Amino acid sequence: MPELPEVETIKESLQGIVGLTIENIDIIRPDYIRLWENQPADYMGQQISAITRRGKYLIFETTGQLYLTAHLGMSGRIYFEPRGKEREKHVHVVLELSNEQELWFQDARRFGGLWLVKHLHHMFRTMGVEPLSRSFNARHLEHLLRNRRVAIKTLLLNQRVISGIGNIYADEALYKAGIRPDRPAGSLQPVEVQRLCKAIKQVLRSGIEQRGTSLRDYQDGFKQKGSFQDHLKVYGHQDQPCPRCQQPLVRQVINGRSSHFCPSCQK
Ligand SMILES: [Zn+2]
């Protein structure tokens, strides 16, 4: 599933469409649109003024202050194709742009979607802090974890607490910080919270530098894959030796999500 670094990479790869006009929105599967605060016709003739990211969502903004937000779910892809090309399978929505290009929204499993949004603040009102923002620091994280009995891994995945972290980067951050994923969140000592805050920022930044993790479907707007999968230390590495202590890594399901960790390095 695309997480913050993948969505950030897609966002960067799409910046070339800022300034272009939306000539048409072709909605092939209406049920892929999750919210209809605006009608597709409202966007026609609008110029795209910005593409930003919030958590795992991409936000397209027009000069008329209409928003189109996208979530990639498990297998979603957003990429450019020349106008007139025969549509591929599972392409549910197409933006026809003024430079003879099209932006295709493809999603085989359809866990993602598009929102035609009027009130952006309303859509994101319950979303947690951005982990790469300045306001996310050890003090803030300590406050978020205080008295929480839920496993730290589960809390890191809760988008209402911290936005953008998924299974891969949660496992990698906890390994880097030396913390077991099943520890109750509130049991972390101040020094551990500091290590975890730093580790979260480091793994997310490395993920962005490597242009994301391409284990299955993920690619950017130009169909380029990322390379962070070559730098993963624990995710998907069960039964392989820990890079630090050489003991075998384990995989354990925690609250329904598979977690990978080193039982000897992570306390
Ligand atoms: Zn180890």
Side-chain angles (χ1 to χ4, degrees), residues 242 244-245 262 264-265:
C242 165
R244 246 181 244 148
C245 74
C262 174
S264 131
C265 291

Side-chain angles (χ1 to χ4, degrees), residues 9-21:
T9 303
I10 294 171
K11 182 199 90 181
E12 287 303 316
S13 73
L14 298 181
Q15 290 302 314
I17 72 170
V18 173
L20 297 179
T21 300

Side-chain angles (χ1 to χ4, degrees), residues 186-246:
S187 75
L188 267 64
Q189 298 303 307
V191 61
E192 293 176 312
V193 176
Q194 273 182 14
R195 284 209 310 266
L196 180 58
C197 181
K198 201 172 157 192
I200 289 169
K201 288 180 189 274
Q202 283 175 341
V203 297
L204 292 175
R205 285 202 185 104
S206 306
I208 293 169
E209 276 165 28
Q210 299 294 325
R211 305 187 54 74
T213 303
S214 293
L215 289 173
R216 284 175 285 270
D217 306 291
Y218 164 72
Q219 60 178 28
D220 72 8
F222 296 100
K223 293 188 164 180
Q224 299 296 307
K225 289 186 178 297
S227 56
F228 195 62
Q229 64 277 11
D230 302 333
H231 301 269
L232 296 174
K233 302 278 197 286
V234 289
Y235 183 84
H237 288 202
Q238 61 270 23
D239 306 324
Q240 295 175 32
C242 165
R244 246 181 244 148
C245 74
Q246 312 307 318

Side-chain angles (χ1 to χ4, degrees), residues 152-153 156 170-179 181 196 266:
I152 182 63
K153 165 75 183 277
L156 293 181
D171 281 1
E172 293 297 316
L174 287 165
Y175 174 75
K176 200 175 188 67
I179 297 163
L196 180 58
Q266 290 172 256

